[in-house]
């Protein structure tokens, strides 16, 4: 019998859920991005071209796009405790498998191990976004989910800054099992918090009619496209800002990387505060936050190629990073409020899949524009993407309206 979330969870249980899922997602995010900051070492040890080595990160996004919806359907139908436990085992196996493959110089098997780790990540993300929100009282739901989504930039920061340090001491392959094992602590906290039941909303497993209704729900697709646009902007700036700074301001790659690090760093603040802003400032309304986020991001992202002082660029990084990630932090509670409880995890999974599709496509599309026309048209195109977000957010439905 599935351990459907049950009503009546205590504050301790809700806190345990939040902490457990936060640690699981942080560990998986660090595992996901970890190779990015040691790619030169990976290229040297495995004799790889830059593009081939880059697939060790890209494969995680591709895996998430393909497996997110199936993972959500499984989570809606079966025991959350068992699925999360299986995901934890998969992450640890992926980390150890990756270490053996890397030390043996077996690139293909290292890549396959990353696919397994990608499956684990979407399990933690989709389950956490739904269960954490379900366990919280209605007026604090967006706040709780916003705090949970901050685990992604925290994990990215851990992976980016920690991997070179680990590589210096134990070699770069050690980052793979190290980050994976960190997730075990989160799993233990989650299992302890849910030893009696999974607090939240009691639901039955969805039938085909409920799933069909979800996939033809216009409101759901509006929010999904907003997520696609937000993640497209997020990955565009993360990917191309360092190169832009080096080319336009003639600063070192280390300095440009430090400045770009403000972008995910401010995300931890933005995502954590997204629910607070929605719940406290706008009285629980979601649409004004999303609309404001894209409205602020549009001129800020267009401004990048037109500013001449590095300090102003830093200000633009903070503004765009906060605005866009304020939206991404709220969208995952927003979509759950638009659908029946029985398909909430599936809805979150659909949102994850569509959003990460934008994350996968945007850097490639932007690179093509930069190759053909330069950075200014690329930033103008990003501004167009943000403006589309403004137009779409104006038509977004308000939950329970």
């Amino acid at each position: 019998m599935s351990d459907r979330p049950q009503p009546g969870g205590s504050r301790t249980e809700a806190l345990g859920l939040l902490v457990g899922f936060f640690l699981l997602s942080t560990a998986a995010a660090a595992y996901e991005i970890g190779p990015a900051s040691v790619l030169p070492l990976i290229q040297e040890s495995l004799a790889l071209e830059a593009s081939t080595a880059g697939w060790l990160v890209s494969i995680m996004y591709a895996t998430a796009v393909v497996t997110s919806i199936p993972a959500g359907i499984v989570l809606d139908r079966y025991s959350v405790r068992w699925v999360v436990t299986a995901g934890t085992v998969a992450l640890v196996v992926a980390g150890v498998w990756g270490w053996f493959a890397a030390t043996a110089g077996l690139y293909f098997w290292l890549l396959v191990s990353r696919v397994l780790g990608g499956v684990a990540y979407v399990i933690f993300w989709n389950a956490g976004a739904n269960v954490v929100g379900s366990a919280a009282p209605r007026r604090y739901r967006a706040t709780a989910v916003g705090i949970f989504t901050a685990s992604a930039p925290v994990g990215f920061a851990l992976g980016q800054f920690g991997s070179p340090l680990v590589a210096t001491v134990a070699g770069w392959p050690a980052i793979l099992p190290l980050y994976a094992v960190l997730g075990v602590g989160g799993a233990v906290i989650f299992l302890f918090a849910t030893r009696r039941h999974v607090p939240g909303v009691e639901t039955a497993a969805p039938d085909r009619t409920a799933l069909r209704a979800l996939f033809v729900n216009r409101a759901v697709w509006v929010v999904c496209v907003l997520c696609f646009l937000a993640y497209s902007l997020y990955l565009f700036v993360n990917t191309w800002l360092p190169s832009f700074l080096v080319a336009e301001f003639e600063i070192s790659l280390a300095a440009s990387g430090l400045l770009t690090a403000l972008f995910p760093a401010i995300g931890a603040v933005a995502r954590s505060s997204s629910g607070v802003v929605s719940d406290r400032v706008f009285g629980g309304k979601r649409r004004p936050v999303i609309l404001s986020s894209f409205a602020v991001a549009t001129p800020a992202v267009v401004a990048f190629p037109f500013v001449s002082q590095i300090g102003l660029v830093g200000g633009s990084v903070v503004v765009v990073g906060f605005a866009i990630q304020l939206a991404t932090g709220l969208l995952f509670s927003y979509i759950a409020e638009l659908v029946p409880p029985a398909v909430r995890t599936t809805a979150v999974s659909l949102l994850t899949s569509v959003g990460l599709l934008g994350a996968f496509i945007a850097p490639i599309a932007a690179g093509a524009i930069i190759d053909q026309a330069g950075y200014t048209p690329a930033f103008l195109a990003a501004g167009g993407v943000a403006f589309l977000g403004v137009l779409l957010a104006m038509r977004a439905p308000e939950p329970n309206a």
Side-chain angles (χ1 to χ4, degrees):
M1 181 178 178
S2 172
D3 58 358
R4 294 284 105 201
Q6 301 293 316
S10 67
R11 290 185 179 180
T12 301
E13 290 172 326
L15 180 61
L17 279 171
L18 177 58
V19 172
F21 272 121
F22 191 97
L23 292 177
L24 277 167
S25 179
T26 296
Y31 168 86
E32 176 183 21
I33 202 65
S37 58
V38 291
L39 280 179
L41 299 178
I42 295 175
Q43 290 178 246
E44 182 181 355
S45 64
L46 299 180
L48 301 175
E49 296 290 335
S51 59
T52 305
W55 268 102
L56 292 175
V57 175
S58 297
I59 195 65
M60 297 283 290
Y61 288 103
T63 299
V65 170
V66 173
T67 63
S68 181
I69 295 174
I73 293 174
V74 169
L75 283 162
D76 271 333
R77 288 183 172 274
Y78 299 103
S79 164
V80 176
R81 285 169 55 87
W82 281 108
V83 177
V84 169
T85 299
T88 305
V89 172
L91 183 62
V92 173
V93 170
V96 175
W97 184 7
W99 180 83
F100 275 108
T103 54
L106 303 174
Y107 171 79
F108 174 76
W109 291 114
L110 173 59
L111 194 66
V112 174
S113 74
R114 300 282 290 170
V115 172
L116 181 61
V119 174
Y121 185 50
V122 296
I123 289 174
F124 302 149
W125 183 262
N126 293 335
N130 179 51
V131 175
V132 167
S134 297
R138 171 65 180 84
R139 61 184 180 137
Y140 297 121
R141 183 175 299 156
T143 300
V145 175
I147 293 172
F148 165 72
T149 62
S151 61
V154 170
F156 270 38
L158 174 62
Q160 291 279 23
F161 290 109
S163 295
L165 301 178
V166 174
T168 300
V169 175
W172 75 263
I175 67 176
L176 303 171
L178 176 62
Y179 294 139
V181 170
L182 288 178
V184 174
V188 170
I189 294 173
F190 163 74
L191 292 173
F192 181 78
T194 59
R195 62 193 183 279
R196 290 192 298 270
H197 62 269
V198 182
V201 180
E202 187 175 17
T203 63
D207 55 20
R208 291 184 179 180
T209 301
L211 290 173
R212 190 180 304 112
L214 168 67
F215 285 103
V216 298
N217 188 320
R218 175 186 170 275
V220 166
W221 282 106
V222 167
V223 175
C224 284
V225 175
L226 285 168
C227 193
F228 178 93
L229 298 175
Y231 269 92
S232 295
L233 290 169
Y234 178 70
L235 263 294
F236 164 71
V237 175
N238 260 322
T239 302
W240 290 109
L241 184 60
S243 302
F244 166 75
L245 294 173
V246 171
E248 299 297 321
F249 292 89
E250 299 181 350
I251 62 176
S252 68
L253 190 60
S256 70
L258 182 62
L259 184 57
T260 305
L262 285 172
F263 194 74
I266 198 67
V269 178
R271 296 189 190 208
S272 297
S273 60
S274 62
V276 176
V277 172
S278 178
D279 290 336
R280 305 292 177 85
V281 178
F282 293 101
K285 293 183 178 180
R286 312 310 187 199
R287 180 170 51 198
V289 179
I290 306 300
L291 178 59
S292 300
S293 296
F294 281 103
V296 170
T298 300
V301 75
V302 169
F304 275 110
F306 298 103
V307 297
S308 57
Q309 297 181 9
I310 195 69
L312 294 177
V313 173
S316 296
V317 169
V318 172
V319 171
V320 174
F322 187 87
I324 289 302
Q325 294 179 88
L326 191 71
T328 56
L330 186 62
L331 286 170
F332 288 90
S333 57
Y334 189 177
I335 198 167
E337 295 167 347
L338 293 172
V339 299
V343 292
R344 279 180 180 165
T345 309
T346 305
V348 169
S349 302
L350 177 63
L351 185 71
T352 300
S353 181
V354 174
L356 292 184
L357 180 62
F360 182 74
I361 291 175
I364 299 171
I369 295 173
I370 291 167
D371 287 339
Q372 294 296 320
Y375 285 102
T376 298
F379 278 99
L380 290 176
V385 170
F387 184 66
L388 285 176
V390 173
L391 298 178
L392 191 59
M394 292 174 66
R395 300 180 61 86
E398 194 65 61
N400 304 317

